[in-house]
Amino acid sequence: MVVVVSRARAWSVAAALLLGAAAPSALAQQSPVTERAPSESNSTLAASRIRDGDVLMRERRYREAAFAFLDASHADAGHVEARFKLGNALAVLGYYGQAIEQWEAAARLTTDTAIRQSAQDNVARAKVKQAQSGSSPLAAGLPPGSGPVAEPTRVQARKAYEMGVQRIGERDFAGALQSLTQAVQLEPMLAVAYTARGSANIGLRRYPEAAADYQYALRLEPDSASPLYGLAESYRAMGRNAEARSLYERYAASTAADVRPPLQAESRQKAERLR
């Protein structure tokens, strides 16, 4: 017998399991559905990253899944499935406040009453979990892994970071990616490791993944300059020229300690060419 279920039920499985709701006994994952018509390239990228996120969720690699769904939502801000599943991944990580924001956005964007109701149900359950978390870092809206890191672990993270930077210099981008991923797993708040991993991803031409790393580095250290340049390079490679130009201009005007004058001059030239 073929069981047909709504998209809302299929999308909310991970969140329902985490938030304490009973999961449906039989679910059929339907193909991605977008509530508006974006450009073909953006739609293709969003669909691709959603598929990546689905695989990562099944493998319980929730942090990476969140990045994949975030990339999808950046590619197409009106993509309901991307928003809904980003909320799921954030909820699994215990990041309830941001999960609620994504589900509320999905509810606003859709005209499907079942999806809207499912999003609202998830929001209600997440608010209960959020209240139960009390004064934990997650409840306060801090990223997962923001707690203290033991000194031996910190030392291992820094060694992995340095190895990653060395491998970038050797143009061993795949090896660098492996080392830098180890660094951020050991020390999730190590912003320079995300910036370096963005460079490794650019070397591998994985531009959406690079953009996600640079964006997260900026979240961790909003006053740093290096992620601005890397994010500009990622966006330019993805054809997002207006955003790239703005980031080049921000880097060119930056007075941050990590800014490099030769790159500032280059940024001004690139920004001018993108006008």
Side-chain angles (χ1 to χ4, degrees):
M1 178 179 68
V2 177
V3 180
V4 180
V5 297
S6 69
R7 286 170 291 165
R9 293 182 71 198
W11 297 352
S12 59
V13 179
L17 290 172
L18 174 82
L19 299 173
S25 58
L27 293 168
Q29 181 70 42
Q30 297 188 359
S31 59
V33 176
T34 307
E35 296 294 319
R36 65 176 180 83
S39 69
E40 183 177 352
S41 60
N42 281 8
S43 178
T44 300
L45 174 59
S48 174
R49 295 302 283 148
I50 287 171
R51 288 193 296 272
D52 292 342
D54 289 342
V55 171
L56 291 164
M57 288 292 283
R58 288 194 294 272
E59 294 176 352
R60 299 186 179 184
R61 295 162 63 186
Y62 301 123
R63 188 186 190 89
E64 295 167 78
F67 277 134
F69 294 134
L70 184 62
D71 287 341
S73 67
H74 285 164
D76 180 4
H79 203 302
V80 176
E81 184 176 1
R83 295 282 196 146
F84 202 111
K85 289 185 173 180
L86 177 55
N88 291 356
L90 291 168
V92 173
L93 290 167
Y95 214 166
Y96 301 121
Q98 289 198 14
I100 288 169
E101 290 177 6
Q102 295 302 322
W103 286 323
E104 288 179 339
R108 288 194 301 271
L109 288 166
T110 188
T111 57
D112 187 312
T113 56
I115 293 175
R116 187 174 295 164
Q117 184 61 55
S118 187
Q120 291 168 352
D121 291 344
N122 284 348
V123 167
R125 288 191 290 267
K127 286 182 177 179
V128 172
K129 288 288 186 179
Q130 192 175 36
Q132 292 172 346
S133 299
S135 58
S136 71
L138 294 178
L142 297 176
S146 58
V149 176
E151 187 58 28
T153 303
R154 188 184 301 277
V155 170
Q156 291 180 51
R158 300 308 165 101
K159 286 182 178 178
Y161 164 70
E162 290 168 5
M163 177 59 70
V165 171
Q166 178 181 326
R167 285 175 166 173
I168 289 174
E170 297 168 351
R171 302 188 67 80
D172 176 12
F173 299 119
L177 184 64
Q178 183 178 3
S179 295
L180 294 164
T181 296
Q182 181 184 9
V184 299
Q185 287 172 344
L186 290 166
E187 189 173 349
M189 301 294 285
L190 186 57
V192 291
Y194 286 100
T195 299
R197 195 171 71 168
S199 298
N201 274 315
I202 281 187
L204 294 168
R205 299 186 179 182
R206 292 159 47 97
Y207 302 118
E209 290 85 350
D213 279 338
Y214 290 127
Q215 288 164 345
Y216 198 68
L218 282 170
R219 271 185 56 193
L220 295 175
E221 291 186 356
D223 296 329
S224 60
S226 297
L228 291 174
Y229 184 86
L231 189 55
E233 291 284 277
S234 302
Y235 281 168
R236 183 168 64 90
M238 293 162 63
R240 297 167 64 171
N241 291 341
E243 293 162 289
R245 184 182 71 240
S246 175
L247 288 160
Y248 283 131
E249 290 171 346
R250 286 174 60 187
Y251 185 88
S254 176
T255 58
D258 61 331
V259 76
R260 295 170 55 192
L263 283 184
Q264 285 185 301
E266 186 176 316
S267 293
R268 282 189 284 270
Q269 293 171 3
K270 288 182 175 180
E272 187 62 33
R273 287 199 293 269
L274 291 174
R275 289 188 180 279

